[in-house]
Amino acid sequence: MSNRRRLPARLPDRQRDHLIVALDVPRADAALGLANGLRNSVGTFKVGLELFTAAGPWLVERLVAQGDRVFLDLKLHDIPSTVRAAAREAARLGVFMFDVHASGGREMMEAAREGVPEGRGGSAGAQRPLVLGVTILTSLAAADLAEIGFAGGPEAAVTRLARLAQQSGLDGVVASPWEAKAIRAACGPEFVIVTPGIRPASALAQDQARAATPAAAIEAGADYLVVGRPITQAPDPAAAAAAIIAEMQRALVYDGARVEGP
């Protein structure tokens, strides 16, 4: 029997659509240069804290206007009213997905979900962004979690937070590939799992304590893979993205049939 992962029909039908490239650079011009070079190679660009602090919402608006899908990775964590307002503004920017810390609790996550339609203005044709709960950062190992008071190790903590995010009405979670299988078992096939900490087999783990290869992450249950430096710092970023997509292809099945195209 094949060990290829079967993805729900609602998910994109090209391997590249499941690859998110992290534009973790400090300047808008560098981010736009990367996006221009990778636009036909990957599905989504991630704008995180560094770039958003440097360039602001203008950059997100520019990418969206160019037809790019954007993962706004600000990991919102504040009182519910503030998170609701921030979620409203994220939706107004037209992003594809954004995230909040699941450890902010049920009320905060529900507020994030409720802020989305306010930002989209009730437009029937407007795409609603996916709202994700960040579980445990991939930079944290078991010893780190124990030090800050999380009992039971990474898998137990991540699964607990994923269930809470699902109960709070979120679309999915951000979690390390090490916990993707447990999340999939706990939350079912329709729950979206976005995994950072993805490294090609030939790459070093760098500062990710719980990393995995692209094929391993997909086989474990991930829907979208976030990759940064192995692509953005490669001599040829488009070629590096193509190599990662080739690794993903070995694990992807759509509706029971292999998809050959990128």
Side-chain angles (χ1 to χ4, degrees):
M1 180 179 294
S2 172
N3 64 352
R4 292 181 184 274
R5 164 103 189 289
R6 183 181 302 230
L7 292 174
R10 63 177 176 76
L11 291 176
D13 61 359
R14 296 177 303 177
Q15 286 91 335
R16 74 181 188 191
D17 287 338
H18 296 270
L19 177 58
I20 301 172
V21 169
L23 300 177
D24 292 336
V25 292
R27 301 189 323 276
D29 59 344
L32 291 172
L34 284 168
N36 289 338
L38 289 166
R39 183 161 292 117
N40 296 321
S41 302
V42 305
T44 302
F45 297 113
K46 182 178 82 72
V47 174
L49 278 172
E50 178 185 18
L51 182 56
F52 193 80
T53 302
W58 169 85
L59 177 68
V60 176
E61 292 171 333
R62 173 76 174 269
L63 290 169
V64 171
Q66 292 176 169
D68 297 321
R69 298 195 313 187
V70 174
F71 171 21
L72 186 59
D73 179 30
L74 301 184
K75 301 179 177 69
L76 303 175
H77 193 167
D78 212 312
I79 62 173
S81 60
T82 297
V83 169
R84 179 173 182 151
R88 179 190 67 221
E89 296 309 312
R92 187 169 289 159
L93 287 172
V95 301
F96 173 58
M97 57 173 69
F98 69 93
D99 54 11
V100 304
H101 266 291
S103 57
R106 184 188 302 270
E107 186 179 354
M108 191 202 77
M109 286 189 281
E110 290 175 346
R113 184 198 67 209
E114 292 163 1
V116 167
E118 297 171 3
R120 299 310 289 161
S123 302
Q127 181 183 15
R128 180 183 71 81
L130 299 174
V131 187
L132 308 173
V134 177
T135 55
I136 300 295
L137 299 176
T138 54
S139 59
L140 298 176
D144 302 308
L145 293 179
E147 187 174 37
I148 60 177
F150 279 84
E155 185 172 301
V158 167
T159 305
R160 184 166 60 247
L161 289 169
R163 287 197 185 101
L164 180 60
Q166 187 176 48
Q167 293 162 8
S168 302
L170 299 197
D171 298 290
V173 290
V174 180
S176 113
W178 287 23
E179 291 84 46
K181 185 175 182 179
I183 295 169
R184 184 61 64 212
C187 298
E190 298 300 314
F191 198 59
V192 174
I193 302 175
V194 176
T195 56
I198 302 301
R199 296 288 181 267
S202 59
L204 297 175
Q206 294 175 305
D207 60 358
Q208 305 284 2
R210 305 192 318 280
T213 64
I218 293 290
E219 289 169 358
D223 296 311
Y224 296 95
L225 310 187
V226 180
V227 182
R229 287 164 291 190
I231 292 176
T232 61
Q233 295 184 5
D236 185 341
I244 288 173
I245 291 167
E247 290 190 46
M248 294 167 63
Q249 184 174 352
R250 294 196 289 270
L252 284 171
V253 171
Y254 299 84
D255 290 329
R258 179 178 176 180
V259 172
E260 300 290 347

